[in-house]
Amino acid sequence: MTNADIVKARIALAKLANAELPVPILGMLDRTLSAAERVIDQAGEYPEGSEEGERYLAEDALIPKCRIPALPEIRMSWVDFDVLRGIVTFEEVG
């Protein structure tokens, strides 16, 4: 996964962070969200369209992926789910 993929996923990540989820699930997301936030903050340090910024966005990012249950509280579009692929896996709860 590249830094650019994480930057593209910022809105979907923010929706997850702001969803009213039970504390244990927020704990599952914490490491992933914190790592993604650092990538997004760093990307914001570069002027838009700069060579340095483009190089940074092309780099691979090492963020911990997480699995969380698919809950009704998580209301996202298919676009949101698509950009989170590889970052967050939603498990069906049976």
Side-chain angles (χ1 to χ4, degrees), residues 41-80:
D41 287 347
Q42 182 65 36
E45 297 291 317
Y46 297 103
E48 193 171 333
S50 70
E51 284 185 36
E52 299 89 2
E54 294 300 319
R55 276 196 300 273
Y56 176 74
L57 291 175
E59 290 175 7
D60 285 333
L62 297 172
I63 66 167
K65 298 175 175 110
C66 67
R67 295 179 159 284
I68 61 170
L71 299 172
E73 293 90 342
I74 303 173
R75 294 183 190 93
M76 302 184 117
S77 71
W78 287 109
V79 172
D80 293 328

